[in-house]
Amino acid sequence: MRVGVLADIHGNLPALDAVLGDVDAAGVDAIVLNGDIATGPMPAETLDRLAELGERAIWVRGNADRELVAAYEGGVNANLPYAVRSTTEYGASRLESRHRDLLAGLPLSVTVEVTGLGPVRFCHATTRSDTEIVLVDSPVRRYRDGFADTAEPTVVLGHTHMPFDRLADRRRFVNPGSVGMPYGRAGAHWALLGPTISLRRVDYDAAHAAETFRSSAPDYPGLADFIEQNVLTVPSDAEALSVFTDWAQRDDEDPRREE
């Protein structure tokens, strides 16, 4: 069993198409969709493309997916920051019932047996929360606490949009990075598992993607910023780590806080 892992697609269909081409060339047996799948400029189109994967796709819930279903059902989270709430409401307004059904009731984590690696646990943030922040430089305590309810030797997570591969508390933790909103290095990021672990990146035509968004999603809230900051350029790893470290510290103070 060889597995491709796609995390944090965020409705970026051009980036998804580029990654799926690379995934097909790698000859994977299954594709884990590791959360935060559709919220972005092209949510319905992204879900339609992923639905075409059929039984090859293994779906995992991210916080954005949970919030998108809630908004579709009329219960948007009023505690979300305005920018997040507006993009969530936009996404929900573009969905049909078949899209909602793809996202509703997804598991917080799944385990897949991968050739050469054995049982691998997949989750969006941690195995106890879809919003908890775990970074490449997080203390071992955060890894130990966030994944205390599982024992697989390899864990694949997402949520922070930055690829990494590190050991913590005698386990291996991998983040494939983000397909649609990468931090650190431009392109569309994913991971190939089995029999080893490979962090992969695919270039795609950013200018063409920008034009696609302008023509297909002109009403997407903050579209110009999304294009400028996530497609044409991306935040540096240092910038992203600084922001997420701040959020992680605030989470320690108030673990109920939503991002």
Side-chain angles (χ1 to χ4, degrees):
M1 172 71 80
R2 302 179 80 221
V3 175
V5 190
L6 281 58
D8 298 286
I9 300 166
H10 279 290
N12 185 339
L13 184 62
L16 173 62
D17 282 339
V19 164
L20 288 177
D22 206 31
V23 167
D24 286 342
V28 305
D29 302 290
I31 300 171
V32 175
L33 306 173
N34 217 27
D36 282 11
I37 294 163
T39 300
M42 302 178 69
E45 298 91 336
T46 295
L47 289 170
D48 285 340
R49 183 78 83 251
L50 293 172
E52 295 171 0
L53 297 174
E55 295 183 357
R56 293 175 68 202
I58 300 171
W59 300 66
V60 175
R61 186 188 85 211
N63 57 300
D65 308 312
R66 171 173 52 81
E67 297 290 2
L68 191 58
V69 171
Y72 179 86
E73 295 175 347
V76 65
N77 185 352
N79 293 322
L80 291 173
Y82 173 76
V84 177
R85 189 169 68 251
S86 62
T87 56
T88 301
E89 290 173 333
Y90 168 90
S93 73
R94 276 15 184 214
L95 301 188
E96 299 181 15
S97 59
R98 70 177 188 276
H99 302 123
R100 178 264 179 204
D101 292 345
L102 285 171
L103 296 176
L106 295 180
L108 183 62
S109 71
V110 300
T111 302
V112 178
E113 193 79 21
V114 180
T115 299
L117 299 174
V120 177
R121 175 73 63 164
F122 298 86
C123 60
H124 180 64
T126 68
T127 52
R128 68 181 182 181
S129 165
D130 60 18
T131 60
E132 194 168 7
I133 294 171
V134 178
L135 302 164
V136 64
D137 60 352
S138 290
V140 171
R141 168 189 56 81
R142 185 169 282 271
Y143 284 90
R144 183 182 298 122
D145 293 349
F147 304 91
D149 58 343
T150 61
E152 292 84 357
T154 304
V155 179
V156 182
L157 59 149
H159 191 46
T160 61
H161 299 208
M162 291 179 290
F164 66 78
D165 183 353
R166 72 163 280 186
L167 294 175
D169 197 27
R170 300 186 180 183
R171 303 169 76 183
R172 188 174 186 181
F173 293 87
V174 177
N175 190 321
S178 171
V179 172
M181 294 179 66
Y183 299 152
R185 190 179 180 191
H189 298 251
W190 67 287
L192 175 63
L193 277 63
T196 59
I197 296 175
S198 174
L199 298 177
R200 309 287 288 266
R201 185 184 70 87
V202 184
D203 287 319
Y204 66 101
D205 189 332
H208 179 71
E211 287 306 313
T212 299
F213 294 141
R214 292 186 188 107
S215 61
S216 300
D219 298 330
Y220 181 71
L223 178 63
D225 286 344
F226 181 92
I227 291 171
E228 181 60 34
Q229 299 172 15
N230 298 289
V231 180
L232 300 180
T233 62
V234 302
S236 72
D237 52 355
E239 291 170 325
L241 279 170
S242 175
V243 171
F244 279 124
T245 299
D246 236 11
W247 288 359
Q249 291 171 347
R250 288 156 59 194
D251 278 345
D252 286 339
E253 298 167 1
D254 182 6
R256 297 167 300 172
R257 190 179 62 88
E258 286 276 359
E259 289 298 348

